[in-house]
Amino acid sequence: MSLPRFSKLIPRCFGRRWDLKENVRNIPHTIGRRGGMILSGCCRERFSVVRCFAAGCSLCTTSRGSSRKKELSEKKLTRYFVDHRRVRLVAGSGGKGACSFLSEPRKEWGGPDGGNGGDGGNVVIKVNQQVKSLSAIAPVYRGHNGQAGGSKNCFGRNASTTYIHVPVGTMVKENGNTMADLSREGQEYVAVYGGAGGKGNRFFLSNENRAPVTTTPGEKGQERLLQLELLTMAHAGLVGFPNAGKSSLLRAISNAKPAVAAYPFTTLKPHVGIVQYQDYEQVAERCRFLLFVLDLSAADPGAQLQDLRFELDQYEPGLSRRPQAIVANKIDLPEARDSLAELRRHEKQRIIPVSALRGDNLEELLLHLRELYDGYLEAEENSGTKPMRW
């Protein structure tokens, strides 16, 4: 009996693949009756050919479509940018002391040799410039416990420190009181301290007590409930009434993608965008200048400006007197021209009319932003402080 050549039996359609497998299954029974090790080896080789063909058949595979990244909704964006967190911190406990006595040949009464336990680990909040949000902060952090003491006067190992990386400008508060202002790269704040290690019986050796059996357990670590608030994210802050076009303006001049719709309170969470200039300058620190975004379709834009300045001064006295720019949005509307002329008659400060929807006059706004930023850098250099880089 001669075996068929499997290279000629490879089918090109899915319907004939099962017939080929059936023929291959029947071949070992025929070979068993004739006998022959060489033929059985040939069958194993042909089986591998069938398997390779079945895995590589174009009719058995499904084509993968190109996945396109979709824009995140306003609700899902809350998981990516968070500016406040409540976190519970528990430091590590100290290791317990050991109770043991030295016993060696020709030294049966060697005395106590129990070592002390290691100290528990601290929990430290550290500023990391690469972190931009508090979204990665867990609700609970627990420090590592110290290692217990051992015999032969072996002390336990101290636990390692647990670090919590936060962005630049994070405020640490407890019960409404500010505990730390982390505004510099690499700045650390020891939130909770680990407990001290326990004492072994070697520590209690004295002339009165030559064989102490007393040991102490390790102390428990500190536990605190802290609030983390992020205040440092941008140089310029957009201030305006609902539906004035703040999110539309942010989408037009930066890489941020906040939700935009034709009703107020569309944007529920704060958004941060980076404006790219030709020298690739990117900086982030506390908001040094403000952008008042006014709606020219409203009845009285000048009253909006006065109300915004009043609210800022109520929040923090002198906040409205920071370097600022007035952005008159929705210049593309028919009634905007008259409102702009009325606003310029009552306001002596520079007013930049723009249309965030159509992108009109955005170049003038970006140039003015750069002028404000350069003035901020000059003021920081004169005062001897170094601005934080993004």
Side-chain angles (χ1 to χ4, degrees), residues 25 126 152:
R25 287 199 187 97
K126 185 176 182 179
K152 298 182 180 179

Side-chain angles (χ1 to χ4, degrees), residues 247-384:
S247 298
S248 301
L249 183 61
L250 188 62
R251 289 175 66 102
I253 65 176
S254 70
N255 59 351
K257 300 298 179 184
V260 175
Y263 53 87
F265 301 107
T266 307
T267 306
L268 303 178
K269 294 293 181 179
H271 291 260
V272 179
I274 299 176
V275 179
Q276 295 282 359
Y277 290 96
Q278 292 184 358
D279 55 357
Y280 302 102
E281 189 70 41
Q282 300 178 9
V283 180
E285 204 180 358
R286 286 194 186 343
C287 292
R288 297 301 185 186
F289 42 90
L290 306 174
L291 296 180
F292 290 100
V293 182
L294 303 181
D295 186 3
L296 291 181
S297 64
D300 191 358
Q304 289 187 4
L305 181 60
Q306 298 299 326
D307 293 341
L308 292 174
R309 288 173 174 172
F310 176 77
E311 293 293 336
L312 290 176
D313 289 335
Q314 292 295 317
Y315 179 79
E316 181 182 339
L319 184 59
S320 65
R321 291 190 294 271
R322 290 188 179 184
Q324 56 190 255
I326 301 176
V327 181
N329 194 19
K330 303 182 181 181
I331 193 62
D332 54 310
L333 298 179
E335 65 273 13
R337 300 294 179 179
D338 298 337
S339 300
L340 179 61
E342 184 69 21
L343 181 62
R344 283 177 170 172
R345 279 197 296 267
H346 295 84
E347 184 64 36
K348 298 180 180 180
Q349 196 173 351
R350 180 180 178 181
I351 300 175
I352 304 175
V354 299
S355 174
L357 180 63
R358 300 192 311 185
D360 297 343
N361 204 27
L362 294 181
E363 294 81 4
E364 182 182 355
L365 174 59
L366 294 177
L367 291 175
H368 187 61
L369 279 176
R370 189 54 192 264
E371 292 175 2
L372 293 175
Y373 171 66
D374 292 339
Y376 158 74
L377 288 181
E378 184 179 357
E380 291 292 316
E381 292 177 358
N382 295 335
S383 61

Side-chain angles (χ1 to χ4, degrees), residues 80-221:
Y80 292 85
F81 179 79
V82 178
D83 59 350
H84 63 278
R85 280 289 196 193
R86 178 177 294 181
V87 59
R88 178 170 168 261
L89 307 179
V90 182
S93 301
K96 63 179 181 180
C99 180
S100 63
F101 292 89
L102 179 63
S103 178
E104 296 178 352
R106 295 187 296 273
K107 197 174 182 181
E108 292 80 4
W109 308 99
D113 64 345
N116 301 336
D119 298 334
N122 304 331
V123 179
V124 178
I125 302 175
K126 185 176 182 179
V127 175
N128 188 351
Q129 195 171 354
Q130 301 300 323
V131 181
K132 308 301 180 185
S133 172
L134 299 177
S135 59
I137 302 298
V140 180
Y141 283 91
R142 297 183 182 274
H144 302 285
N145 296 329
Q147 188 179 13
S151 58
K152 298 182 180 179
N153 295 320
C154 292
F155 284 29
R157 180 182 300 173
N158 296 333
S160 59
T161 303
T162 301
Y163 288 96
I164 304 176
H165 297 282
V166 296
V168 178
T170 302
M171 300 283 292
V172 182
K173 296 183 179 181
E174 184 178 17
N175 298 327
N177 300 322
T178 303
M179 309 305 298
D181 184 4
L182 306 178
S183 58
R184 296 296 173 185
E185 167 67 18
Q187 187 176 354
E188 297 182 358
Y189 171 69
V190 183
V192 287
Y193 289 90
K199 305 298 183 182
N201 62 340
R202 172 69 182 182
F203 178 81
F204 298 97
L205 177 64
S206 63
N207 294 330
E208 292 78 14
N209 188 2
R210 305 301 301 172
V213 294
T214 304
T215 60
T216 58
E219 297 180 357
K220 291 185 177 182

